[in-house]
């Protein structure tokens, strides 16, 4: 694998993990929101789906975001009859976002992003060393 190809593979990983981090941030920002009116649904957690995409020119698989989908898990129900979006039985639907899970996902995405960044940096350093050798 040449230098350009290895950097392209790492860059695609960084781009995919960046999209994942943005989605996680959106989930965390909406973790405590409720529906605006009774009967409406609250925010639904989003998840990023990845796919391998063959780059025919380079002959390697790159990672891409296939789609950003919603998590189909049930909403949390909390009894709060005084809440403006409570249903007739006094229950409020809360988003299906678990802040602990989001924090773990964020850490995993961050580590993957950093690993790809490290690979790009290593490739850049090898290129610089090669140029220095050629100058001598």
């Amino acid at each position: 694998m040449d230098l350009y190809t290895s950097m392209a593979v790492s860059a695609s990983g960084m781009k995919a993990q960046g999209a994942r981090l943005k989605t996680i941030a959106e989930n965390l920002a909406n973790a405590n929101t409720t529906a605006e009116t009774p009967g409406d649904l609250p925010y639904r957690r989003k998840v990023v789906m990845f796919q391998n995409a063959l780059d025919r020119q380079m002959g390697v698989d790159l990672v891409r975001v296939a789609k950003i989908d919603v998590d189909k898990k049930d909403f949390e129900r909390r009894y709060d009859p005084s809440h403006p979006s409570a249903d007739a039985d006094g229950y409020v639907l809360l988003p299906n976002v678990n802040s602990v899970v989001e924090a773990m996902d964020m850490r995993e995405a961050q580590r993957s992003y950093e690993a790809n960044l490290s690979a790009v940096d290593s490739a850049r350093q090898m290129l610089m060393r090669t140029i220095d050798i050629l100058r001598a």
Side-chain angles (χ1 to χ4, degrees):
M1 184 182 299
D2 66 19
L3 193 61
Y4 174 76
T5 303
S6 64
M7 290 181 87
V9 169
S10 294
S12 75
M14 289 171 62
K15 185 175 180 181
Q17 293 302 332
R20 184 176 176 202
L21 286 166
K22 286 179 187 177
T23 303
I24 292 168
E26 180 181 338
N27 289 341
L28 286 170
N30 289 289
N32 296 315
T33 60
T34 58
E36 293 183 17
T37 60
D40 284 346
L41 296 177
Y43 176 83
R44 191 171 284 278
R45 178 179 185 252
K46 294 180 181 176
V47 291
V48 177
M49 305 291 185
F50 297 120
Q51 73 178 19
N52 287 342
L54 176 64
D55 186 311
R56 294 187 191 281
Q57 184 178 7
M58 289 187 285
V60 294
D61 281 335
L62 303 176
V63 65
R64 301 246 193 275
V65 174
K67 66 179 179 175
I68 298 176
D69 206 358
V70 293
D71 189 343
K72 305 283 194 257
K73 290 183 184 171
D74 292 335
F75 295 113
E76 180 185 339
R77 288 178 43 140
R78 182 177 8 150
Y79 185 72
D80 187 358
S82 64
H83 195 282
S85 63
D87 63 13
D89 297 327
Y91 286 95
V92 178
L93 291 178
L94 299 173
N96 59 347
V97 176
N98 182 333
S99 297
V100 174
V101 170
E102 297 300 322
M104 290 185 325
D105 284 351
M106 182 179 287
R107 186 69 181 142
E108 180 183 336
Q110 179 185 3
R111 286 182 178 166
S112 179
Y113 186 94
E114 289 171 353
N116 282 299
L117 182 60
S118 178
V120 168
D121 189 46
S122 293
R124 184 189 60 78
Q125 288 176 9
M126 285 190 291
L127 178 62
M128 296 308 293
R129 283 188 215 133
T130 302
I131 290 171
D132 288 344
I133 290 170
L134 292 173
R135 285 185 191 165

